[in-house]
Amino acid sequence: MSAPETDVEQTPAAQLPPWMRRPRGPLGWVGLSIAVALASIVLLVIGLVAVGIALVSWVVRGAIWVVMTVVDWVWFAAHLMVRRPYPFVMRPPIGKDARALDVNDAWVATLPRAIGLAARAAGFLFAPLALMASLVGIVLPGLRARPYIALFNVPALEAKLVAIGRNHGFFDDGQAVTVRPYDVFLQQALPQRADFLVWWRDSHASDTFRPSESWNTPRHFSGLTLGPYPDELGLPGLALTAMRRTRIGGLRELFISQREIDDLGDPDLDDRADVAVIRVVAVDNPLPDGAGTAPVHSGGTDARPGRRWIVQFPSTQTWHPRAGRAPNDLTADFVALSMHETTLTRAAVEAMRQAGIRTGEPVLVAGFSLGGMVAAQVADLSEREGFTVTHLITAGSPIARYRVPRGMKVLSLEHVLDSVPRLAGRQNPVIVPHVSRADASLSQEVPPSPESPAQEAGVRQRYEVSEVTFGTGARRAAVWITVKAGPPLPRGYRIAVTHHSPSYAETAGTIEAEPPAAAVGAYVDDVRPFFAGRQVVSDYAAQRVGFDVPRPAVPVYFHSTVDDGVTRDHLRVTLRRVPGVIAVDIYPSRTGFPTTILWSADVLVHSLRPWFQEVGRASVYTGLLTLLARERGIGLHLRLQAKRTPGVTWEATLQRMSDGRWRERVDVSFDTDAAREEWGDLLMPSGWASKVTYYEPTAFV
């Protein structure tokens, strides 16, 4: 690249030549005195105004303090009459911490109910505004959008909002979508990750990774020759990509898998991976059709005996109002709430075709939040597309208005303080056939037994099967069960914690271990064959066609998110210094709402053995939490795999609870029975696979 050419005739830019300062003369002193006098008067006036504002502020602050104190005591008194307080155990609002806890309890408990009430009354609240927009649209084309008159329910209002937004460049879901295997996407878009993945999956490879020459690309930048990457194993996405699971062993692992596919497309980790990941699991089960699952009428089909499928869809990962490459964004949320088919739904159908699902082979579709709405749409389209969807499982999804095919069995998990399921503006239709006398009180709360592991050292969860109602879906579905739960909430004003896939994974694991009702237990038994037998997990990457701009995870970063990467870099560097660590990915996990819930750390190590020692983990926790304090982080999620123990995943979640204690949940999962047999006794001599421990507030100071 040659140097830029110079002009033949050059005109100098305007400038002031240097000069020597001289003493101030009489006129200068007079001017300075006048300026000082005027400035003094102005500053005096400003000071008096500031004092007045301060006095008014103190009066207003005092009034607010009195009102909040009264509200705190009223709220506390009301909770004294509650048999099982939730979300927090209240204390008299005397000290600062107790008052903050009362306000937090009121906020977390009131907001979702207010949202649900607004959704139910949306026709009365927002229909006049939408009708006015239709009227003004006669003159202003920007407000001209369908529907024009039928605007008296949530889907119609959402459809109107999407149509108006599309006129201004927002909520454009597009039409065409490209779907390809995720490994093919890695080869094309992220060759370094694909290269590393080959080494990690090779059990016979050496413990030392040697990158190929392709890791030095791009070789040029604006004509400058580039050297190798400073830290090959510091590239984003290596650990996250390598830790994809190879089997799903139950309901809890189903929603742990949900977190994986959501984070694989996190644009904040690497905007080149701005995709929606759809997971398809082929299950070869030796049980015949009808043993543990509904019989499938496969006459005239080429269904393979014993073949079942699990198809899982991602939740919202991009909260920008303008559509981007990934079809699981805010645009898809609005389109799905308007009861229209999303681009992600079309991508899901294409992924199922590419996976080779045949008519007559039972399919379980599942998803969290947006993924649950897409699963409901796929279930509704299954007959037309030639798929035999028999089961639908959702968590935190507003699917009450969706129709499902005849014979479908639906299980919906909802947290009682989750705002998102309430956006449908109605309760889920419920059908529980053949209810016995002992199971007739399904609409009442069913507390776990004292010996239940759900008690977890005094932390209670509550479960209920919602009351029997009837809706559009109830006229066709065979079973529709809604289980509501109240998971333990961490400290702080974190309404988003109730809508978080790891929280739903914990809820799913609890009801799987101890179903709250006979109908729920029957459903768990019914889907068990989908999680047994030999499994082959295939991931597919979906992107909109014609949308080439990657969108950030959120358009505006809140106090609990990071926009400069300082904390992420500090965490990554800290973990990279721990002996035995190979690669690290640090990212804020937003599986639910746009605000950060947990800082997630995916770590590849040589051996898992040191991480089973509580002393070593405590040192890591202390160091990481010290760095997180400056970003108001409320917890950590560590996930590890070791090169020497393939098929084993160790993960731990650490959060500060409302009483100040730290709650650690450690889980170990095995991808195969052979891995469990080989490594189970060595890694877990006490025989546990999931363990919850509480630490004192000062444990990691």
Side-chain angles (χ1 to χ4, degrees), residues 189-209:
L190 305 166
Q192 291 90 349
R193 286 199 206 178
D195 188 21
F196 180 83
L197 190 60
V198 171
W199 169 79
W200 184 257
R201 290 175 173 175
D202 187 358
S203 58
H204 301 291
S206 64
D207 288 345
T208 303
F209 173 69

Side-chain angles (χ1 to χ4, degrees), residues 209-249:
F209 173 69
R210 303 185 186 281
S212 63
E213 294 183 358
S214 63
W215 283 63
N216 295 336
T217 58
R219 296 175 181 272
H220 299 280
F221 174 75
S222 187
L224 301 177
T225 302
L226 298 180
Y229 196 85
D231 180 9
E232 293 92 348
L233 298 179
L235 287 175
L238 295 182
L240 177 63
T241 304
M243 297 179 73
R244 287 182 292 161
R245 64 184 53 247
T246 59
R247 73 173 290 111
I248 298 176

Side-chain angles (χ1 to χ4, degrees), residues 305-657:
R307 172 62 62 88
R308 294 174 175 81
W309 299 85
I310 302 172
V311 185
Q312 193 168 26
F313 311 108
S315 66
T316 309
Q317 288 302 293
T318 303
W319 296 86
H320 200 285
R322 294 187 184 274
R325 290 187 298 211
N328 56 329
D329 54 8
L330 187 62
T331 295
D333 285 327
F334 279 101
V335 173
L337 285 171
S338 67
M339 307 294 292
H340 286 76
E341 184 179 302
T342 68
T343 298
L344 182 57
T345 304
R346 293 187 288 274
V349 172
E350 176 60 25
M352 294 169 71
R353 288 200 185 100
Q354 292 186 19
I357 300 178
R358 302 178 184 178
T359 303
E361 296 175 345
V363 180
L364 182 154
V365 292
F368 158 72
S369 192
L370 169 64
M373 290 190 285
V374 172
Q377 290 189 355
V378 171
D380 190 24
L381 298 173
S382 60
E383 295 179 359
R384 186 190 73 185
E385 300 295 337
F387 301 121
T388 309
V389 177
T390 59
H391 294 79
L392 168 64
I393 299 178
T394 67
S397 301
I399 63 170
R401 295 180 182 271
Y402 277 98
R403 296 179 64 88
V404 295
R406 189 179 305 278
M408 179 74 61
K409 296 183 178 181
V410 184
L411 173 64
S412 298
L413 305 183
E414 295 181 1
H415 288 158
V416 292
L417 298 181
D418 189 351
S419 303
V420 175
R422 300 172 184 262
L423 294 176
R426 64 170 61 170
Q427 290 285 346
N428 289 342
V430 175
I431 299 178
V432 184
H434 309 298
V435 179
S436 63
R437 179 180 298 274
D439 204 302
S441 58
L442 290 177
S443 62
Q444 301 178 359
E445 294 180 5
V446 183
S449 62
E451 297 80 11
S452 170
Q455 296 297 73
E456 295 179 0
V459 176
R460 291 185 173 182
Q461 295 198 23
R462 72 172 192 174
Y463 296 91
E464 62 180 359
V465 177
S466 61
E467 60 185 7
V468 176
T469 59
F470 295 91
T472 56
R475 300 190 185 100
R476 305 182 64 188
V479 175
W480 194 320
I481 299 174
T482 300
V483 176
K484 296 191 176 184
L489 300 185
R491 188 176 185 177
Y493 297 82
R494 308 292 178 173
I495 188 66
V497 177
T498 61
H499 187 72
H500 196 218
S501 63
S503 297
Y504 274 105
E506 190 165 338
T507 298
T510 305
I511 69 169
E512 191 174 28
E514 290 195 19
V520 180
Y523 192 99
V524 171
D525 291 338
D526 199 44
V527 298
R528 206 176 299 278
F530 286 96
F531 305 115
R534 188 177 66 88
Q535 297 185 5
V536 177
V537 178
S538 302
D539 293 334
Y540 293 85
Q543 290 181 307
R544 290 190 181 99
V545 175
F547 293 79
D548 296 329
V549 179
R551 300 294 183 190
V554 290
V556 178
Y557 284 87
F558 303 100
H559 67 77
S560 58
T561 60
V562 59
D563 56 347
D564 55 5
V566 174
T567 298
R568 179 186 302 173
D569 289 342
H570 284 179
L571 289 173
R572 185 182 64 81
V573 171
T574 301
L575 278 177
R576 290 274 287 149
R577 292 175 177 173
V578 176
V581 171
I582 299 174
V584 178
D585 276 327
I586 301 290
Y587 50 94
S589 181
R590 294 191 188 89
T591 52
F593 281 149
T595 55
T596 299
I597 308 303
L598 295 172
W599 276 95
S600 295
D602 291 338
V603 187
L604 301 181
V605 296
H606 288 291
S607 173
L608 286 176
R609 191 187 298 271
W611 295 88
F612 283 80
Q613 302 173 2
E614 294 186 4
V615 176
R617 294 205 308 275
S619 300
V620 175
Y621 290 158
T622 302
L624 296 182
L625 290 171
T626 301
L627 295 175
L628 280 177
R630 71 190 69 178
E631 293 294 334
R632 303 187 187 183
I634 64 168
L636 296 167
H637 181 89
L638 295 178
R639 191 168 57 134
L640 295 94
Q641 278 189 3
K643 182 67 175 173
R644 299 171 187 170
T645 53
V648 183
T649 302
W650 180 95
E651 56 186 309
T653 301
L654 183 72
Q655 291 180 287
R656 185 187 288 273
M657 308 310 291

Side-chain angles (χ1 to χ4, degrees), residues 73-152:
W73 278 102
V74 170
W75 190 264
F76 172 73
H79 268 249
L80 291 178
M81 298 180 290
V82 178
R83 181 166 58 94
R84 287 189 299 172
Y86 185 79
F88 305 116
V89 177
M90 308 297 292
R91 300 192 300 270
I94 298 176
K96 179 180 178 181
D97 292 340
R99 289 198 302 269
L101 185 65
D102 287 1
V103 174
N104 191 12
D105 186 279
W107 160 258
V108 174
T110 303
L111 180 63
R113 293 181 171 93
I115 292 176
L117 179 61
R120 286 179 175 271
F124 300 99
L125 295 176
F126 305 110
L129 184 62
L131 289 172
M132 185 179 297
S134 299
L135 184 61
V136 177
I138 299 175
V139 181
L140 300 179
L143 296 177
R144 192 178 304 160
R146 295 180 178 177
Y148 298 114
I149 299 178
L151 297 164
F152 301 99

Side-chain angles (χ1 to χ4, degrees), residues 241-260:
T241 304
M243 297 179 73
R244 287 182 292 161
R245 64 184 53 247
T246 59
R247 73 173 290 111
I248 298 176
L251 288 180
R252 183 177 183 277
E253 291 189 17
L254 182 68
F255 291 105
I256 293 178
S257 170
Q258 179 75 49
R259 172 189 174 273
E260 287 184 13

